[in-house]
Amino acid sequence: MEDVLAETIDEYRPPGVAFDGVTDIPADEVVRFNDQRWEFIAPDEPALVAAAQELHDQAVSEGWVSRGPFEDRGGVGIFVSVLDKGPMKLTLRYTTAASFANHTFDVDELGLVARIRYDPSQEVN
């Protein structure tokens, strides 16, 4: 978990969105991966898209390697981009208003979520 917590990308706050909290999930007997997840809420879609791209660009400047631009692979209004740094994976996901009708049991908000996932089995002791 120390490797995840040592990353500084989680401290970056893109403009135009409100920080909504961070969750650390260390691996244990039940959870396989060390995870850190942080969330933002946007007032509108242009601010959401701009903040997601800003966070992506900041990650690249900190040494993360992008697998590609944001994509809505399912066509449901949820855009995802994945970046790598060694054995860590950073997933950036934002939810647009187009997704609201597709997911009736969730909270309808324009949100940006970032998550670092690290497989502890990759750690060298």
Side-chain angles (χ1 to χ4, degrees), residues 18-105:
F19 179 62
D20 194 40
V22 64
T23 305
D24 297 329
I25 305 171
D28 58 20
E29 295 82 30
V30 178
V31 179
R32 179 178 171 192
F33 301 105
N34 290 320
D35 278 356
Q36 184 183 69
R37 172 185 168 110
W38 59 107
E39 302 175 12
F40 302 90
I41 304 298
D44 54 46
E45 285 194 25
L48 176 68
V49 174
Q53 190 61 53
E54 180 80 20
L55 188 54
H56 179 276
D57 294 346
Q58 180 65 28
V60 169
S61 76
E62 291 185 21
W64 290 86
V65 178
S66 179
R67 294 185 191 174
F70 284 95
E71 290 185 82
D72 180 10
R73 290 190 177 190
V76 295
I78 300 174
F79 291 79
V80 177
S81 181
V82 178
L83 301 94
D84 297 298
K85 190 175 193 182
M88 289 180 282
K89 178 171 78 169
L90 171 61
T91 303
L92 304 176
R93 183 185 82 229
Y94 66 88
T95 306
T96 64
S99 74
F100 295 171
N102 296 319
H103 302 90
T104 56
F105 298 108

